[in-house]
Amino acid sequence: MPEGHTLHRIARDLDAAFAGAPARFSSPQGRFADGAALLDGGEVVEARAHGKHLFVEVDSHETRILHVHLGLIGTFTIDADPYAGERPVVGMVRARIENDAHVADLRGPMTCAVITPEDEAAVHAKLGPDPLRDVTGDRAWERVTRSKKSIAALLMDQAVLAGVGNVYRCEVLFRAGVDPMTPGTRLRRETWDEIWADLRRLLPLGVATSRIVTLPEQVEQIETALAKGEEVYLTERDSFVYKRTGEPCLVCGTPVSATDVAGRTLYWCATCQTGR
Ligand SMILES: [Zn+2]
């Protein structure tokens, strides 16, 4: 399932391919034909993401917004178009955006709709702060510290914090050494600040590499490469605890635990993660 970094990467790539010029919008599959007709020929102003929501602002006589949520299986691919507008359609493409140089295909989204700027504002209002968008996580902390739910559940609640999915949830809790079952009301403020700062550090690496990177040596490797503008090649193992049930913890050797929290499998190390 796409996490927030995926949507921010898509927004960045859509911006680079389409912003500042008119684009053709269509629905090869047909299910979005009416929406595409409203946007077709309009100028793409900007693409932006908030958590797992993507907004493409289009100026076609009036300002209209293409609102996309990929859900569990959706994909949005952006490519240079070697077919000069004649690219064949592969599979069920709900929406296609094209200009003479690029084509973007949206498949299998949970949401694909044309909305107004007011509708967009209402979506933002329901979402918590996004570490890729907001400097401070104070609004999220206010929700966390008043809740008896576990921090593992709260991190997945998009109204508390936008953009974090299951992989980042498991990995940042491990990196902070936090007991995932700690109720929000018992979490220390400095622990929250550490988690927020860690997300602010890790998520941009996800945007840059399209991979979730959490192991310290890989984090440093990518930060160094990005600072130099170099390509990054990662070694194979890429998580502390995510999907490592029963395997030894990379730090202490305790078998990694797994249980269901907020509808998704939580992975953690019962020895390393005792902090609040
Ligand atoms: Zn451990």
Side-chain angles (χ1 to χ4, degrees), residues 174 241 248-256 268-273:
F174 180 91
V241 289
C249 169
L250 300 183
V251 173
C252 76
T254 303
V256 170
W268 85 102
C269 172
T271 302
C272 291
Q273 295 180 245

Coordinates of all heavy atoms in Angstrom, one line a residue, residues 174 241 248-256 268-273, ligand 1:
F174 N 10.5 1.4 16.2 CA 11.7 0.7 16.6 C 12.9 1.7 16.8 O 13.6 1.6 17.7 CB 12.1 -0.3 15.5 CG 13.3 -1.1 15.9 CD1 13.3 -2.2 16.6 CD2 14.6 -0.6 15.5 CE1 14.4 -2.9 17.0 CE2 15.7 -1.2 15.9 CZ 15.7 -2.4 16.6
V241 N 12.4 -4.2 11.5 CA 11.4 -5.1 12.0 C 10.3 -5.5 11.0 O 9.7 -6.6 11.1 CB 10.7 -4.6 13.4 CG1 11.7 -4.7 14.5 CG2 10.2 -3.2 13.2
P248 N 15.8 -12.8 14.1 CA 16.4 -12.1 15.2 C 16.5 -10.6 14.9 O 16.8 -10.1 13.8 CB 17.8 -12.7 15.2 CG 18.0 -13.3 13.8 CD 16.7 -13.7 13.3
C249 N 16.2 -9.8 16.0 CA 16.3 -8.3 16.0 C 17.7 -8.0 15.6 O 18.7 -8.6 16.0 CB 16.0 -7.8 17.3 SG 16.4 -6.0 17.5
L250 N 17.9 -7.0 14.7 CA 19.2 -6.7 14.2 C 20.1 -6.1 15.3 O 21.3 -6.1 15.2 CB 19.1 -5.6 13.0 CG 18.3 -6.1 11.8 CD1 18.4 -5.0 10.7 CD2 18.9 -7.4 11.2
V251 N 19.5 -5.6 16.3 CA 20.2 -5.0 17.4 C 20.5 -6.0 18.6 O 21.7 -6.1 19.0 CB 19.5 -3.7 18.0 CG1 20.2 -3.2 19.2 CG2 19.4 -2.7 16.9
C252 N 19.5 -6.7 19.0 CA 19.7 -7.5 20.2 C 19.5 -9.0 20.0 O 19.7 -9.8 20.9 CB 18.7 -7.0 21.3 SG 17.0 -7.6 21.0
G253 N 19.0 -9.4 18.9 CA 18.8 -10.9 18.6 C 17.5 -11.5 19.0 O 17.2 -12.6 18.6
T254 N 16.7 -10.7 19.8 CA 15.4 -11.2 20.2 C 14.5 -11.5 18.9 O 14.5 -10.6 18.0 CB 14.6 -10.2 21.1 OG1 15.5 -9.9 22.2 CG2 13.3 -10.7 21.5
P255 N 13.8 -12.6 18.8 CA 12.9 -12.8 17.6 C 11.9 -11.6 17.5 O 11.3 -11.2 18.5 CB 12.2 -14.1 17.9 CG 13.1 -14.8 18.9 CD 13.7 -13.8 19.7
V256 N 11.7 -11.1 16.3 CA 10.8 -10.0 16.1 C 9.3 -10.5 16.3 O 9.0 -11.5 15.8 CB 11.0 -9.4 14.7 CG1 9.9 -8.4 14.3 CG2 12.3 -8.8 14.6
W268 N 7.5 -5.6 16.0 CA 8.3 -4.9 16.9 C 9.2 -5.8 17.7 O 9.1 -7.0 17.6 CB 7.5 -4.1 17.8 CG 6.9 -4.7 19.1 CD1 7.4 -4.6 20.3 CD2 5.8 -5.6 19.1 NE1 6.6 -5.4 21.2 CE2 5.7 -6.0 20.5 CE3 4.9 -6.2 18.2 CZ2 4.7 -6.9 20.9 CZ3 3.9 -7.0 18.6 CH2 3.8 -7.4 19.9
C269 N 10.2 -5.2 18.3 CA 11.1 -6.0 19.2 C 10.8 -5.7 20.6 O 10.9 -4.6 21.1 CB 12.6 -5.6 18.9 SG 13.7 -6.4 20.1
A270 N 10.4 -6.8 21.3 CA 9.9 -6.6 22.7 C 11.1 -6.3 23.7 O 10.8 -5.8 24.7 CB 9.2 -7.9 23.2
T271 N 12.3 -6.5 23.3 CA 13.4 -6.2 24.1 C 13.9 -4.8 23.9 O 14.1 -4.0 24.9 CB 14.6 -7.2 23.8 OG1 14.2 -8.5 24.1 CG2 15.8 -6.9 24.7
C272 N 14.0 -4.4 22.6 CA 14.5 -3.0 22.3 C 13.5 -1.9 22.6 O 13.8 -0.8 22.8 CB 15.0 -2.9 20.9 SG 16.5 -3.8 20.5
Q273 N 12.2 -2.3 22.4 CA 11.1 -1.3 22.5 C 10.4 -1.3 23.8 O 9.3 -1.9 23.9 CB 10.2 -1.5 21.3 CG 10.9 -1.3 19.9 CD 10.0 -1.4 18.7 OE1 10.2 -2.3 17.9 NE2 9.0 -0.6 18.6
Ligands
ZN1 ZN 15.9 -5.9 19.7

